[in-house]
Amino acid sequence: MLKHFQATPQKQRQISEPPSNEICPYTLLLQTGSYYPQQNTINRWHEGSVFITINPYAEETESKVLEVKGSFGSDSEGTVTADFWLPPNVGEPQLVKIAIKSKFSKITKDPLFIRRITILYDEAKYHFPAKNYLFPHNELQDKPTNGCLPFLLVREGAGKLLHQETENFVIKARNKDLEMTRSMLPWNGPNVEERPKLFPGFAGKQEVRSEVTENFNKKFSNNKAGLMALTNILDDLLGVLPDTFSKLEEYAAFIRHNGDEQGWSKSAVHRALKVAKVCEDDEEMGREMLCGPNSGVIRKVETVGDSRWESGVEKLPEYVLEGRSLEDVIKEGRIFEITHDYLIGVPHGGKSSKLLTGEKQTWYVVPADCMFYVKNNKKLVPIMIRLENKTDGSKPTFWYPPKPETDKKEHENLRWLLAKLYFGSAEVNTQTLCTLYARAHTVNEVFAVAAYRNLASAHPIFRLLQPHIQGVIPVQLQARKFLLGKNSVFSKFLSAGDNVEVVFDNYFKTFNYRDLIFPEEIKKRGVEDLPGYLYREDSLRHWYLLEKYVTDMVDLSYPADEDIKEDIEIQNFIREVVDEGYRYRGFPDSAGFPRSISSKENMIEYLTAIIFNISTYRAAINSDTFTYYSFTPNAPSSLKLPPPKQDEIVTMDRILNSLPVPVISFIAMDIFYHLSTPSSQNKFYLGEESEGKVGMEGEVMTLAPEQREVVERLESGMRELKREIERRNEGVYFKYDVLSPDNVPITLQD
């Protein structure tokens, strides 16, 4: 716990009526509060009381309803203690029912986050991990209210599989738990207009499980307030900014100016300015492809015959391969490529340009590809760029680096710089829409919705997944509203933003479950030995640490493969991911997702992929978007002139006039800043008290001693990885630390 930023737990004691004959003492410790680092104020919940029933639905052992009064921790941890005398027939606490009731009649009420309940009985401790919000509800209406369940049913201890339960009242509670959750979290219909033709299923309405309430959304990120205020900022900028800048360096000054005006982190601005200084260098471009926001797409080239490169390699300058033949370096595994086929068939954008800039513009969507070469010094550099304006029917053109001694102002260098602009623009569009939104958001929502609907809170695998899936659904609800809805944010700065449904359709035609298995995906792209590939190195370390963590948890939950086959809840979860997520949405072969799992080995792989994709992968491709995409000449979100003809004489004016106007540059950098800045509610694999970061400790629902040992082993491995990354980063110009465990959120909460 981060004591520096959190309130000291407040323990308040409540004592029930005096004892009588043949009654037993029960002490309840009710822990509330969401572990948000509080730097200014401490909020408490004074609205009413918490009502707890021990062993509900049990005919012989159900307790009376116990009212717990007190001043409950809200945004910070707090504990209220209450003592009760209960008859001996209640016995051992196995299940608790938790509800809250307001003492006020006001319409607007606040929810309360129930972290856990500990019951002391017969000199033993019984732990009930809740990790959920409750909203004061109408006790006569046994249904969800304001996105919250009417009450929580929490199983004691490590959790159990359904077929391992022996008590009928516990089984009844599990079924009730899932019944309530499904009623408030349906899938969207198969023909909803808001989704593209090929798009995974998602939550059908905003009444979702309680940790994703509207109140949670309001607290969930101050960053998003910046996005919502964007319109007001633009009103102030229109008519003030110039139509273009007179030189590229002015875009760097623009970052610093906006950072000061908007109150952006000076550390983040400084990193972006470091990129601006060196991004024209070809070795720096290669490094960004290996360590930047879209570093998971590069792949080895095995042949250029009958490929997109066949015409271009004929004019490939000898000096770009250091005197070697292309055939030889391909055999040596030194040629790689990045392509942007997801932009093929996407119309040009710019529908919002008149509203935003005062004039109608065309924002060109150009599928741009780049071939790379690993030099003798082990540095990756671009050696050829292919541009094809398919929308306008233009033939592909090929562009090559100038000789090393070429002056930056000479025509050949400017031609190469302009070609890199179009490639950079394609990078931004595919990274934002495909890598980030489609892969790191929509795919995760399928897992989250299916888990909540099919895994009771008592299920040990739900308790394993809960810290990771808890933020997924509210993030997606906001994303669809602000990023994809009518007048979407994407359409305000991306060339492809007016036609995201075409981009998503292209992406999901090739998406497959096996893409989520990181070691396998690395081999598929042929990049196991690509030098300087820090994204691969750090991601693999995360994968194997998480795989060991999941393995240990699965071994604790499933004594044998047969237990997985008998686990109805987990099989329903797996099946619903396939059916509602992909099969019913038109995905060929259900995008390769399994419809059942019968072995611990496959279960471990499946769960590791979920946790890795939600946490590690998303951090790798999101955390540095502002760093690399805020300097417009490095990665323009749109370009307002068509790509150059092969014989065109390129000038600096041509380059400047191609770039988006400053107001569009501002929109892009503002959005990338807010999307990449962690929410104050983020929880990380490792906490960092000095930075106000809350770690994984305290967020897990796996509370049994043997489960805690597994969590501690994961944290130990993460600490060692952090030390290795710190040693590697000593003295380097660009530190690659986005996958340092203290920078990797365990879920999506920004």
Side-chain angles (χ1 to χ4, degrees), residues 246 248 399 408-419 421 641 644 647-659:
S246 60
L248 297 180
W399 308 84
K408 290 180 64 174
K409 297 181 180 179
E410 287 191 20
H411 166 62
E412 288 302 316
N413 189 72
L414 295 177
R415 282 167 54 87
W416 181 237
L417 178 59
L418 184 58
L421 288 184
L641 290 179
D647 57 354
E648 183 177 335
I649 302 298
V650 177
T651 64
M652 182 54 70
D653 284 342
R654 167 64 159 94
I655 292 174
L656 292 169
N657 290 330
S658 300
L659 290 168

Side-chain angles (χ1 to χ4, degrees), residues 666-682:
F666 169 78
I667 294 173
M669 68 176 70
D670 186 67
I671 289 172
F672 286 130
Y673 179 82
H674 289 102
L675 290 179
S676 62
T677 302
S679 161
S680 61
Q681 293 182 353
N682 268 337

Side-chain angles (χ1 to χ4, degrees), residues 701-724:
M701 293 184 72
T702 45
L703 300 179
E706 62 272 18
Q707 293 173 325
R708 290 300 307 163
E709 290 177 5
V710 174
V711 175
E712 289 169 2
R713 285 196 292 271
L714 173 64
E715 291 174 334
S716 177
M718 289 292 183
R719 281 193 292 271
E720 177 56 32
L721 175 58
K722 179 177 183 290
R723 287 191 289 268
E724 292 178 11

